[in-house]
Amino acid sequence: MGQIDMGISIKELKSMDESTYQIIDIRDEIEIAHGKIAGAIILKPEEIESSKNIDFSKKLIICCSRGQVSIEVAENLKEKGFDAESLEGGYIAWLMDIMSEPDKQVKAADVEQSLRKKFRKSIWTRFTKAINTYDLVKPGDKIAVCISGGKDSMLMAKCFQELKLHNKFEFEVKFLVMDPGYSPENRKVIEENAKNLNIPITIFESDIFESVYHVDKSPCYLCARMRRGHLYHFAKELGCNKIALGHHYDDVIETILMGMLYGAQVQTMMPKLHSTNFEGMELIRPMYLVREDDIKAWRDYNGLHFIQCACKFTDTCTTCNNEETRSKRMEIKELIKTLKQVNPFVEGNIFKSVENVNLDTIVAYKQNGEKHFFLERYDKD
């Protein structure tokens, strides 16, 4: 058996005439939402051969997250006679190269100005509205702003810095990054983005990725639970009483539908929660009213590039990357997009549905872990 061609490097690609190749990005929409290569054509592997957007006289550069999945896709295309190569290192390698170019580095002052001007109404006002509506920040709070490396948490960090400039009472923030076993490349991306955005991060390490890698049942769920616990623990050691996570409005409405369609339950992602395992600790979600499209617009306007999942197994882990796990949230996103074509207010209606629950019309519900049935009060009513 011959050796598999590992593909074309970023250095080789930069030496080529841009008119001689096309980059085909085969990552899914969730990954691309966090960062994309300018000019790349976004397609699923099975769509490439029949796509009318591709000039097949050019070399096809296949790009995935880390340059693993793209190898097989490129090899399959070459066997069928197409001129195709895998991009070595994938999107992460491209991102590392972009961030190493001095003229491409972002100025924190410009990003901050964009929040005050261009994105004041769509992001800053909604951020402060969530703070006030759900009483998320109180005098004397010490908040651990948890940064995963993605667009949502990085924007949240910048919003908190802005809030500190305008706060009417004293509170503290710590910008916390947990390294659960990042690859060196992913950690470098997070560190460079924090540096360029002038976010003074504190990094602590754990071995969570290794602990859950060989777990067969729900390893991603276990990973998320363990990461949350470690964040609470380290935040408490720093003297914090709250951790802030970057979930946004779209996460909320998608969670509502996923609970109904896949979990047979009506529930939502709450704007804040008391910790059940860490006394005196609380979780808050200040991005609760900010739309994902506005976060993307902020990212692209400022020329920012982030990673979706810092997990070093993203491309090769059968638990993170299997079709069943990945497709559920994508199905919900597509469903909402389809419903919106008929009813433009559907997103707002989903969000408000869990604010307008009428217990008189509910067959059964749970409260404090105890289930109640409508017949308990039917004759009394």
Side-chain angles (χ1 to χ4, degrees):
M1 181 179 293
Q3 186 176 4
I4 296 177
D5 183 5
M6 297 302 289
I8 189 168
S9 68
I10 294 291
K11 184 177 180 180
E12 291 171 322
L13 186 66
K14 291 173 71 174
S15 68
M16 294 171 58
D17 184 339
E18 291 186 9
S19 65
T20 64
Y21 67 84
Q22 285 188 325
I23 298 177
I24 314 297
D25 194 331
I26 61 171
R27 295 176 300 149
D28 66 33
E29 286 187 34
I30 295 176
E31 292 175 294
I32 290 170
H34 287 263
K36 56 186 178 181
I37 300 175
I41 298 173
I42 300 167
L43 292 170
K44 296 177 182 178
E46 62 271 19
E47 296 174 337
I48 295 175
E49 295 175 46
S50 60
S51 176
K52 296 181 179 179
N53 296 322
I54 298 177
D55 181 351
F56 288 101
S57 67
K58 298 180 178 181
K59 181 183 288 292
L60 307 183
I61 309 298
I62 311 301
C63 174
C64 64
S65 295
R66 299 173 59 82
Q68 299 292 325
V69 175
S70 57
I71 293 175
E72 183 178 353
V73 174
E75 287 296 318
N76 288 337
L77 287 169
K78 282 196 283 190
E79 288 176 4
K80 296 177 180 178
F82 295 97
D83 184 8
E85 295 283 354
S86 168
L87 181 63
E88 287 184 10
Y91 172 74
I92 291 294
W94 175 86
L95 180 53
M96 292 293 290
D97 182 74
I98 284 289
M99 296 178 76
S100 69
E101 298 179 16
D103 61 324
K104 297 290 180 67
Q105 291 180 1
V106 173
K107 294 181 180 179
D110 293 338
V111 174
E112 292 157 7
Q113 186 68 8
S114 74
L115 276 177
R116 297 172 192 142
K117 299 292 185 179
K118 184 174 180 62
F119 298 99
R120 181 177 182 84
K121 184 177 180 180
S122 60
I123 292 177
W124 173 246
T125 299
R126 293 182 181 182
F127 175 82
T128 55
K129 183 179 179 180
I131 297 286
N132 295 323
T133 302
Y134 304 114
D135 200 16
L136 301 183
V137 180
K138 298 180 180 180
D141 276 347
K142 189 171 183 179
I143 304 167
V145 179
C146 301
I147 298 173
S148 66
K151 67 187 192 314
D152 311 324
S153 60
M154 284 292 190
L155 173 56
M156 177 176 65
K158 295 307 297 180
C159 285
F160 264 109
Q161 287 182 322
E162 189 70 16
L163 190 66
K164 282 290 292 177
L165 297 177
H166 305 284
N167 61 303
K168 298 177 182 178
F169 52 79
E170 283 300 316
F171 69 94
E172 294 183 57
V173 291
K174 291 284 186 180
F175 300 101
L176 194 59
V177 175
M178 181 181 63
D179 183 346
Y182 293 150
S183 66
E185 297 84 2
N186 282 340
R187 176 154 172 167
K188 182 72 172 176
V189 169
I190 295 172
E191 290 173 336
E192 285 299 311
N193 271 326
K195 178 183 176 181
N196 291 338
L197 291 171
N198 196 25
I199 301 171
I201 58 175
T202 298
I203 301 178
F204 74 99
E205 299 176 351
S206 71
D207 60 354
I208 292 174
F209 285 167
E210 293 295 341
S211 299
V212 304
Y213 185 57
H214 297 291
V215 174
D216 293 329
K217 188 175 181 181
S218 303
C220 296
Y221 172 77
L222 178 60
C223 179
R225 295 271 297 183
M226 290 178 68
R227 292 172 78 171
R228 182 81 54 86
H230 277 67
L231 286 170
Y232 270 126
H233 179 76
F234 194 75
K236 196 166 187 177
E237 283 189 350
L238 291 177
C240 298
N241 65 310
K242 292 179 179 178
I243 65 171
L245 303 183
H247 298 114
H248 49 67
Y249 186 98
D250 296 75
D251 289 326
V252 177
I253 61 175
E254 289 163 14
T255 299
I256 294 170
L257 281 190
M258 286 181 74
M260 293 176 64
L261 301 181
Y262 297 115
Q265 55 189 339
V266 177
Q267 62 176 18
T268 189
M269 182 181 284
M270 296 296 286
K272 64 179 181 179
L273 291 167
H274 288 294
S275 172
T276 55
N277 298 317
F278 295 85
E279 186 177 353
M281 295 293 292
E282 196 173 354
L283 180 155
I284 61 173
R285 294 184 169 104
M287 304 290 286
Y288 204 77
L289 301 178
V290 180
R291 297 304 309 265
E292 186 175 25
D293 281 346
D294 294 321
I295 300 175
K296 293 178 187 176
W298 167 82
R299 175 203 63 197
D300 295 342
Y301 178 82
N302 288 293
L304 298 166
H305 303 281
F306 301 110
I307 50 177
Q308 177 256 333
C309 177
C311 173
K312 64 183 178 183
F313 308 115
T314 299
D315 258 1
T316 55
C317 177
T318 56
T319 58
C320 295
N321 214 36
N322 70 73
E323 191 61 32
E324 181 181 357
T325 302
R326 288 159 65 94
S327 66
K328 286 182 180 178
R329 189 164 289 274
M330 289 305 304
E331 284 177 13
I332 294 299
K333 284 181 176 290
E334 288 300 319
L335 175 60
I336 292 174
K337 189 184 298 184
T338 301
L339 292 172
K340 193 176 177 181
Q341 294 174 0
V342 179
N343 178 4
F345 306 107
V346 70
E347 293 159 310
N349 290 342
I350 295 170
F351 186 89
K352 292 173 185 175
S353 67
V354 291
E355 294 181 348
N356 298 318
V357 177
N358 184 350
L359 290 182
D360 291 333
T361 63
I362 299 297
V363 175
Y365 66 94
K366 287 184 179 178
Q367 188 172 34
N368 298 323
E370 183 180 349
K371 187 171 183 178
H372 299 275
F373 195 52
F374 84 105
L375 288 179
E376 295 173 10
R377 51 183 168 75
Y378 181 75
D379 288 329
K380 295 178 182 177
D381 293 345

